[in-house]
Amino acid sequence: MKVLFIGESWVVHMIHTKGYDSFTSTKYEEGATYLLQCLRDAGIEIDYMPAHEVQVRFPKKREELDKYDAIVLSDVGANTFLLQNATFYNMEIIPNSLELIRDYVADGGGFMMIGGYLSFMGIEGKANFKNTVLADVMPIVMMDGDDRVEAPQGVQPQTVKEHAVTAGLGEWPRFLGYNRFAAKADADVLVKIDEDPFVVLGSYGKGKTACFASDCAPHWGPKEFMEWEHYQKLWARILEQIKR
């Protein structure tokens, strides 16, 4: 299996103030390092595209996506795909990257979105995928505006349907938040938090799709989740279900 994994990277620019004086520092971070290593250890080939590289590296032709069995988006908003450098700075007409993903899935490719502050609708609605063609592709219906559920007390998902993905997982670890959405009528809801779908499978055209409502790593997915004995198994099973 070969997967294109996009997102889970960010730059933090800080101002340090000490009395009268201040200075700045900048650091770059990636959030999916552990997940990607787990998938590679499970025999899955990964091409990783950090969020900031999408604007210059995302394929311009649909055929370039066909070498992948699945595409995963995690914590990277729609603007990153729609406002690429060529268009935003040079006013060039280029292919719509999200339409390329839609067509890839319609022709049999797999697709998954993992939750986060810039997934689904995201913080202040800035991820904004409800207003893109990927809203048709995903097996869920997104909210209008900010869809975050913050849960500092911890919330625990519950398996509601036995399935190849959930078999033998037992008790889930707690999470610190998730994106709230509804499942489409023909979707397969495997896991919920209270009445909110948490793991959802579906299809679009000839392709298969999945949505995971929370983070794959901190901050919503805390250490408890990443150290869960079934962490690697869960992600590998979901990808197995949606692969081309």
Side-chain angles (χ1 to χ4, degrees):
M1 190 191 317
K2 188 170 185 177
V3 173
L4 176 60
F5 191 104
I6 304 173
E8 284 296 333
S9 71
W10 55 88
V11 174
V12 178
H13 187 66
M14 295 175 284
I15 300 174
H16 306 251
T17 300
K18 299 183 177 182
Y20 179 87
D21 298 297
S22 65
F23 63 92
T24 62
S25 65
T26 304
K27 64 176 179 176
Y28 169 74
E29 295 181 332
E30 294 180 355
T33 303
Y34 180 67
L35 169 59
L36 297 184
Q37 188 57 54
C38 285
L39 294 177
R40 291 179 176 121
D41 290 344
I44 298 171
E45 184 179 352
I46 302 289
D47 278 355
Y48 175 49
M49 186 179 296
H52 65 277
E53 294 187 7
V54 172
Q55 293 167 300
V56 293
R57 282 189 51 213
F58 192 85
K60 298 295 188 292
K61 296 181 179 179
R62 225 304 303 288
E63 293 74 20
E64 296 178 54
L65 298 177
D66 287 338
K67 63 183 178 181
Y68 298 106
D69 294 296
I71 296 173
V72 179
L73 305 189
S74 184
D75 221 349
V76 54
N79 280 335
T80 299
F81 296 89
L82 299 174
L83 299 176
Q84 295 186 27
N85 290 355
T87 297
F88 190 75
Y89 295 107
N90 300 324
M91 286 67 70
E92 295 178 14
I93 295 174
I94 63 172
N96 184 321
S97 297
L98 299 182
E99 290 183 354
L100 296 182
I101 294 175
R102 176 199 61 192
D103 295 346
Y104 158 85
V105 179
D107 287 343
F111 176 81
M112 174 163 60
M113 183 171 288
I114 299 172
Y117 268 30
L118 280 169
S119 296
F120 303 107
M121 286 302 285
I123 187 169
E124 300 174 357
K126 287 183 176 178
N128 200 33
F129 281 104
K130 183 174 184 177
N131 296 305
T132 74
V133 296
L134 290 191
D136 296 327
V137 174
M138 288 188 271
I140 54 98
V141 178
M142 287 169 274
M143 297 177 61
D144 293 319
D146 197 317
D147 61 2
R148 292 171 301 137
V149 177
E150 300 288 359
Q153 76 281 7
V155 287
Q156 192 166 28
Q158 300 290 330
T159 297
V160 296
K161 183 173 183 178
E162 282 300 314
H163 187 276
V165 169
T166 57
L169 295 184
E171 184 175 288
W172 281 72
R174 292 169 298 174
F175 289 78
L176 297 174
Y178 59 96
N179 300 91
R180 175 174 281 151
F181 46 66
K184 290 180 178 176
D186 58 349
D188 212 0
V189 180
L190 307 184
V191 183
K192 288 184 176 182
I193 292 180
D194 296 326
E195 294 303 312
D196 293 333
F198 191 75
V199 178
V200 184
L201 301 182
S203 61
Y204 179 78
K206 298 177 182 178
K208 297 178 181 179
T209 61
C211 290
F212 186 89
S214 193
D215 271 330
C216 60
H219 74 285
W220 274 347
K223 187 177 181 182
E224 180 180 340
F225 176 48
M226 297 182 70
E227 292 180 348
W228 189 33
E229 61 179 326
H230 301 305
Y231 182 84
Q232 179 193 62
K233 184 187 301 181
L234 170 69
W235 296 112
R237 284 178 173 181
I238 294 175
L239 289 171
E240 183 67 29
Q241 289 297 309
I242 67 171
K243 71 176 184 180
R244 179 188 293 275

